[in-house]
Every structure is written in structure tokens, then in C-alpha cells.
Amino acid sequence: KLNLGVNVQNLGPSVAFINEDKADPLGRNVKAGVAWEPVTTKEFNLTVAADFNQSLVTDQFRTYHGGLELQYAEQVAGRIGYYSDPLGEIEDMTYGIGVNFKGFTVDWGSIPQAKNSDLGNVQKITIGYRF
């Protein structure tokens, strides 16, 4: 199973707060992504995904992402990937896990920050429920 997507964000006029002569363009960008499920069985699913984000305001901003997800019995998933943002000086591995039980989901991920940052990786936790 192969999925492709393209998205153009923030179309519209520039934003002016006080002075119309100093209006700033919206952060317009285009994103393209692909996801492929090479293995789908009753117990295991493997998904390979990648996306690209390019600013339509400046040629300098672009990001790249790629990764794998291995899911067991639609309840537990492990993820590993790579994130690259040359302008933000971010290039590193990402990883995380997710648990799903009767519609209740908990996801945790580790996301890299700029190499010169003292913050280290951001630890993101998402809790949700699907009706």
C-alpha cells in the first residue's frame, strides 16, 4: 500500500500589524510526503515514510524527514527516523514508541534540537482517545 500527499500552507496576503508598508509574508510552504507499507500481516505492520518541506518565502528553509514504524497487533509500535533541518542546524535520529488499547493511545517521541542548543532532545508525550 502506497500513499502520497502534497500540501501548500499559509496561502493569502501578507500580515500587517501596525504599518501596511512593513507587512510580512505568511510562512508559505509546500510539503510532500510518501508512506509505504511493505509488510502487512495479521500481527505485524511495517511502514516506511518520508517527507520534504520547502519554504515558498525563502530558498534557505527546507527540512527532510524519513523513518520506519513497526507495529505489533495494532497495540504497540516502535519508531525510528532521521530529521534534517540545515538552516536550523538540526540533523539527528528520532525515535519513539506508542501504545494503543481500546481507543486510548499514549505516544512518546524524542526529537532532536539544534546542535548548539543546550536543550538536548525534546521529549514529546501525546495522550489521546479515538471514538
Side-chain angles (χ1 to χ4, degrees):
K1 186 176 179 182
L2 183 67
N3 294 297
L4 303 171
V6 176
N7 177 33
V8 179
Q9 290 182 304
N10 297 327
L11 295 176
S14 295
V15 177
F17 292 103
I18 296 173
N19 187 346
E20 287 287 331
D21 295 332
K22 294 184 179 181
D24 293 316
L26 293 172
R28 295 177 193 95
N29 62 3
V30 61
K31 293 181 179 184
V34 60
W36 176 46
E37 294 179 0
V39 177
T40 302
T41 68
K42 194 172 190 176
E43 292 188 4
F44 289 100
N45 291 331
L46 175 65
T47 304
V48 179
D51 70 74
F52 171 74
N53 183 11
Q54 172 65 56
S55 172
L56 297 175
V57 178
T58 175
D59 290 338
Q60 296 177 350
F61 177 78
R62 66 181 56 91
T63 62
Y64 309 89
H65 309 96
L68 303 169
E69 178 185 74
L70 181 60
Q71 187 180 54
Y72 174 72
E74 295 186 5
Q75 292 182 338
V76 178
R79 302 174 189 103
I80 188 165
Y82 186 77
Y83 178 74
S84 175
D85 175 358
L87 185 63
E89 298 180 353
I90 304 171
E91 292 190 48
D92 208 348
M93 300 295 293
T94 63
Y95 47 89
I97 57 172
V99 178
N100 179 24
F101 183 71
K102 295 187 177 182
F104 182 72
T105 61
V106 178
D107 285 293
W108 167 80
S110 180
I111 304 163
Q113 299 301 299
K115 293 182 187 219
N116 297 332
S117 171
D118 294 332
L119 297 176
N121 284 7
V122 168
Q123 308 302 312
K124 183 177 178 180
I125 297 174
T126 305
I127 300 172
Y129 185 78
R130 295 181 189 243
F131 295 96

